[in-house]
Each structure stands twice: as C-alpha cells, then as structure tokens.
Amino acid sequence: MLFSEGTGILDANVSIPSGSVNGVQRADITTIARELGISVATVHRALHNSGSVSESTRRRVLETAQRVGYRPNRIAQELRARKTFTIGVTFTGISSAFYASILDGVEEAAHQAGYSVLLSCSHDDPVKEREQIELLLEKRVAGIILSPADPSASASYYSGLIEEGVRLVFVGRYVPGVPGDSVETNNSLGGYLVGKHLAGLGRQRIGIVTTIAPKRQYTYVLERIAGCQQALQEHGLSATIIGEDFEERLPLPRFAYKAVRDYLRKGGAVDAVFALNDDLAYGAINALFDAGYRVPEDVSVVGFNDEAMSEFFRPALTTVRSALRELGIQAVHLLLERIAATESPTLGRRVLIEPQLVVRESCGAKSRGVEANHLHPRKEDLTP
C-alpha cells in the first residue's frame, strides 16, 4: 500500500510477484552477479562498457544477461535525467512512535527543500520491500529513504539499485558493504551509557533482553549489546543475554515478558535489566512484577529509544533517547546531496546521531542519590 503526504492512499491492494514489475518477471543485475559469482559493480561496468573489466568477463556477463532475460531498469536509469521533486520513503512499520517521529523529520526537511513525500511500508518483509521500491520508482521519485527490512538478505539488491542510479539513504539501520549513505543513532554509545549507569548504581547481575530472532544480527542490536558490555567490563562486570534461545516470534512486549519469565523460572538471577528497546522494557517489567520482584527496588530496568509512552509508564522508564526526528532530517539532507551529485557513490557515508540517557524512576537512581550527568562519556573514550 502506498501513501502520499496529504492525500492518504494512492495505490491499494497492489499485488506484484517478487522480482517483477507489473506482474512480469524481471531479472536484474544481482541475478547476473549471482550466476557468475562476481560483484554487482563488475556486472554494472560490463553492461555499461565502463571501467576496467576484462573482455572475457564482459562477454560472460553479456551472454548471461541474454540467457536470463535481463532488461535494464529504465526507470532507475531515467532518474538521473528526469529529476522529480518527490522523495520515496519505505519503512518497516508506520504505526509505532519510532517511525512516526522519524517521518516527522523527513517531511519537515523535505517540505523546506520543496519536495513532497511518498510513504510505503514493508512490514519487515524483504519481498514486500522490493515491491514497494519498484512502485516508488514507477512514481519517478528523486530518491528513496529506506529502513531496511532485512539488511543481510537484501544487500546485493540495494547495491544493484545504487549501481543503476537510484539515490538511496538508509535510516535507523546500517547495511555493511553497501555504498549507500546511512543515518542512525550511535547505538554503541547508547549501550555504553546504559552499562556505565547500571555499574554506577552498584548493580552486579545484569541481564540484556535481546529482540526477536530475525533481528538479532542487525547492526543496531549488536552495537547496543557491545557498548553495554564494554562499559560493564571497565567495571569488572559482564551481562547475560536473555532471550537469545527464545525463537518464538511475538510482539516485542510479549516476547520480552516470556523471555524474562522463562529465564527467572530456570533459576536466572538479575538485579538490573537493559532492554534493547522500550517495548521490550515494558514486557520485562511486567514479568519481573509477576515474579515478585520490585522495580526499581530489587531490579533496575533501562530501555532504549524513549518512546512517548515511556514517561507515563509506571514506574516511569529510564531509557536512552534517540533523536528520532533528527534522524529523519539528516536522512533528507544526505539524500538531497546524492540527488545533486552527478555520479553514484563508491563509498557510503555513515552519520551517527548522539543519544542521551534519560533517568527516570525504573532504574532507582534518584532513590539512590546517583546523578546521571557524569555518565556521558566522550566519544573518544569508546573503543572502535
């Protein structure tokens, strides 16, 4: 389903097979790259007779292109020549406060630059994501801001889009190895702030509540965990990962509730919990309450993202505030720079927005008389 700023639904009930446009199956340059075991960039150079490619490789590429029925993505190629004033946005979800805040920044920055916004949603499904991207390209968008549905599964597809001239910026999630720009929270620093804070409270048995299985290898998850562990190690501590053996795919609060409940039932002990986002923290707190623990007297709990509900949750949630609106603004700025550029990027730029620890009731810092101001490290204090 495709949405437009101010007009609501543009295209509804659109069903397009995976890897196709308007119902017609289409091989792309990633298909050729997989067939030959070479990079997407090499295929692109061979097809466009540019750069250093051996004659034998060029011949193999052209023969394979003919065999698999490759046709150039004319829509993508025309983006350079036919500039529009519309930005496409594809998020994994649009109902949460997380994406609503990012979208607010996107729309503000786009409006100031004279652009309108087309919004679509992949629901964390890489097949739907490709369909939505193709629809946006058909609408002649000038570029796309994307929250990747599955960075590892779609990396070659993203690289192919960029090679074909699509201006692409990732927001909220980083895709290693793809020459697209990205803007995200400094997740390592955010995790570090949490670890240092919990250590400063004197907590010794710290659990990190991870997320559902499909997302556990995403860079933001790994970086939040690594940052927290680094801070704890500096105090001679370490954290146990809770939920990493829990495969059931559930809404995040319910997932965290069951993961923490099962961990405690198996004899696990915690006096602090770092949940990798606020939705996980809500579920963790309820599991602790139902198991007879008091928050924050017995267990400190800290979340991540500072969702709108977190301030009004009871106890009010201590969390890491991500400047979500700023993520959207910076994503538009990066995209406009790429739109103005004459060549596709060879290296992507990664912009990190600094987070802030927001201390409320759930960690117990106020009752213990611990100040949070001194817990903000310099960036250079973090190891790479």
Side-chain angles (χ1 to χ4, degrees), residues 182-187 223 327 350-354 379:
S182 69
V183 56
E184 58 196 300
T185 299
N186 189 331
N187 292 294
E223 289 170 354
L327 292 183
R350 191 180 186 191
V351 176
L352 299 178
I353 305 298
E354 192 165 318
K379 290 181 181 178

Side-chain angles (χ1 to χ4, degrees), residues 1-2 26 34 38 52 123 164 183 246 293 335 381:
M1 189 171 290
L2 201 62
R26 179 173 66 84
R34 284 195 301 269
I38 59 179
S52 56
H123 299 288
E164 291 183 343
V183 56
F246 199 83
Y293 291 88
L335 185 62
D381 291 336

